[in-house]
Amino acid sequence: MSRRKRDPKLLREQCSRVAALLTLAPESDAQISRFLGHANPSSLARLRDGESFLDSESLARLGRFEVRAIAHPNLHWVLTGDGEPLLPTSTTKAHELDALCVLARREATQHQKS
């Protein structure tokens, strides 16, 4: 089975969203690259140019990247453009979010049984 060709418009949009988030970070490209698991910052340059996107491991690391110690990138926004670009890191907000996730999982489980 051959791999489907990437949509160049979508690739550019996703790359521009990641690039926008990285501009908010005070860290250097070298520091960000190391955090994402890349050997050097050239991958970020290709991303900013819209030539290549992050692999799944780097994308997962991006989701844990702290932006100015107050937020994390919203990977849903990175991939789709929907929602807010950043998610708060506040423990109160995280606790509220966890409670909603538990409720959502419970609802999903109940719907599967019926």
Side-chain angles (χ1 to χ4, degrees), residues 2 21 26 31 34 39-40 45-47 55-56 88 90 99 102:
S2 64
L21 291 171
Q31 291 170 310
R34 278 193 300 277
N40 58 56
R46 287 192 309 277
L47 183 138
D55 61 28
S56 60
S90 159
V102 167

Side-chain angles (χ1 to χ4, degrees), residues 14 17-19 21-22 32 35-37 44 47 53-67 71-75 78:
Q14 291 172 334
R17 288 190 284 269
V18 173
L21 291 171
L22 296 180
I32 294 169
F35 183 86
L36 295 177
L44 292 184
L47 183 138
F53 193 63
L54 301 172
D55 61 28
S56 60
E57 289 180 23
S58 297
L59 193 59
R61 288 182 179 118
L62 178 67
R64 293 188 303 269
F65 185 73
E66 282 195 10
V67 178
H72 293 283
N74 179 352
L75 297 182
V78 167

Side-chain angles (χ1 to χ4, degrees), residues 36-107:
L36 295 177
H38 300 170
N40 58 56
S42 64
S43 57
L44 292 184
R46 287 192 309 277
L47 183 138
R48 285 190 175 101
D49 291 339
E51 296 172 2
S52 68
F53 193 63
L54 301 172
D55 61 28
S56 60
E57 289 180 23
S58 297
L59 193 59
R61 288 182 179 118
L62 178 67
R64 293 188 303 269
F65 185 73
E66 282 195 10
V67 178
R68 299 185 186 186
I70 60 169
H72 293 283
N74 179 352
L75 297 182
H76 180 72
W77 179 81
V78 167
L79 295 173
T80 67
D82 295 335
E84 297 297 324
L86 297 166
L87 301 172
T89 59
S90 159
T91 54
T92 302
K93 299 274 184 185
H95 177 71
E96 293 170 354
L97 182 59
D98 287 344
L100 286 176
C101 288
V102 167
L103 289 174
R105 284 188 208 100
R106 189 175 300 147
E107 286 292 321

